[in-house]
Each structure stands twice: as C-alpha cells, then as structure tokens.
Amino acid sequence: MTFTVLARDTRLGLIGAATASKSFAVGSSVIAVDPTVGAVASQAWTNQALRGLLLDELRRGVTATEAVTKVPSWDDEPELRQVSALAWHDPGGARSGSGITSWAGQRVEASAVFTGNLLVGPEVIEAMAGAWASYRSQDASHFAATLIAVLAAGDAAGGDTRGRQSAAVLVASRTSVVLDRRVDDDPAPLEVLAVLAQGAGQPGRGGGVQGPRRLGAGPALEVDEDGEVLAAGPGDEASEELDPGPGG
C-alpha cells in the first residue's frame, strides 16, 4: 500500500520524510515532521494519532527505537499498524505489526529508516536503501530530490502492488519546515512531486510550505489499507496549524 523514507543530514541541519502509495492523498495521513525533534510516519491500517504520540516521545528525549515499541500501549490494534521515527540524534526506529498485509517490512540505517507494506517484495525496501546510500550532502534542494529518488527507486523495484496514485515530501531545518509538497491524485505522482520540489529552501523557487498543514498528528483518523477513513477522533492537541507559506 505505502512505502516511506525518513532521513536526516546533520551536516546541513535537515530532516525529512517522503512517502508514496496507491491511496488518495497519502501525504495528509502518513508522514509528519516537527523541526525541533524529528520525523515520523504511521501507515498500513493507518492510525494518524500515532504520529503525534511518537513526536511527543521524541520531544521528551525518548529514543526513536524505544518510542515505536510503545504503540501497543497506545493502540487497541497494534498488529495493524506500521510506524517509524527518526530524531536528530540516535538511530531511527520502526515497528511493523503482525497483521499488516504482505509484503511488509522495514530497514533502519544510520541516518534513515525505510518502511513499506502491500509491496511486491523486500526488493522495494532494498532498492530504497540503495538509493539513499548514494546520497552526498549538498543543499536542501538536493536532499529533497534524493528523498524523492529513494521513492522512485522503490517504485521501479515494484512498489505498491496496486499501482500509483499519490506521494509527498516534507523537509525541515532545526527551526522550520522548508519544503512541504504533495501530489494527492495523479497517475505519475513521483514525477509530478519531483517538479514541485525543485528549489527547496529557496524562497520564490518552490521552497516554503505549500498551503495550510499540520505538525504532529492532525485529526485522529483511522484509515484502512485502501485509504478509506474508518474513524475520526477530536484531533491531536500537539498539532499546530500553520498559515499558508509562499507557493512555488
């Protein structure tokens, strides 16, 4: 259904997340970034509230590896959830529930975390990790382009068994979001996303936040593996609504 990368470049002071899926508007439900603490993702039978809870743990100084182990204490159906987290320091963490649809799995590297479910096989995650291994620190635009290239590598290896529909990328410095781009419904979402992300971190050239967005979990929604909303809660108190930034 969905494959996601969380990654950081501590030399440049950048952290980000990118995701792709054969579901509508994957960027609105899967990834979240808090510039002060890190990046997280919640997918499979998605419980969006888990994103805010994971960010809260990172904010308290809990490692990402430990934070993802707390999902069973927060959720009545942890076997249906796949989550990942990456802070500015320490290794990332990931957890894949036993009930999510195969193929599903994860891989944690020194500066990145790769997760996916309903994939053609482990080769998708391996291709993503291989694409990240070629990354060389340059600037925010190159960092964002590499996150999208990681998704493209996973897609080229087979990606989501159902096809393509949406993709998104988020990049933050230690103080603010420098890029927020989504393609919600397109037959070639990664190609469109790559165009939208050009000039990341450069005002007037595609950088900045595109439209209103939420840090943290946003509304507490539960989404099934086909992207259908199953339940909605009152929202996450840790979320913060931002004003629209400059368009690109």
Side-chain angles (χ1 to χ4, degrees), residues 221-242:
L221 302 180
E222 185 173 337
V223 183
D224 69 15
E225 291 189 309
D226 291 318
E228 298 296 325
V229 176
L230 299 177
D236 176 19
E237 294 179 357
S239 298
E240 176 183 357
E241 189 73 20
L242 299 185

Side-chain angles (χ1 to χ4, degrees), residues 110-197:
S111 59
V113 184
F114 313 91
T115 53
N117 61 87
L118 206 60
L119 305 179
V120 297
E123 59 268 29
V124 176
I125 297 294
E126 296 304 311
M128 294 169 68
W132 174 251
S134 66
Y135 172 72
R136 297 296 180 268
S137 181
Q138 294 182 21
D139 53 31
S141 182
H142 180 64
F143 179 72
T146 301
L147 293 182
I148 298 170
V150 167
L151 296 181
D155 185 63
D160 189 322
T161 59
R162 303 168 305 160
R164 308 167 182 87
Q165 186 173 6
S166 65
V169 61
L170 272 170
V171 176
S173 68
R174 293 182 182 273
T175 58
S176 64
V177 174
V178 299
L179 182 78
D180 182 350
R181 292 291 183 267
R182 284 169 41 187
V183 178
D184 289 343
D185 189 11
D186 193 278
L190 292 175
E191 290 86 342
V192 176
L193 187 64
V195 174
L196 292 177

Side-chain angles (χ1 to χ4, degrees), residues 28-51:
S28 69
S29 60
V30 168
I31 54 177
V33 173
D34 182 329
T36 64
V37 295
V40 299
S42 175
Q43 56 197 48
W45 294 74
T46 307
N47 179 352
Q48 293 189 29
L50 295 177
R51 298 179 301 173

Side-chain angles (χ1 to χ4, degrees), residues 2 4 19 30 38 46 65 69 82 90 103 108 122 129 133 137-138 152 156 160 162 172 182 196 201 238 243:
T2 302
T4 299
T19 187
V30 168
T46 307
T65 304
T69 67
Q82 185 176 50
D90 301 320
W103 189 87
V108 178
S137 181
Q138 294 182 21
D160 189 322
R162 303 168 305 160
R182 284 169 41 187
L196 292 177
D243 291 332

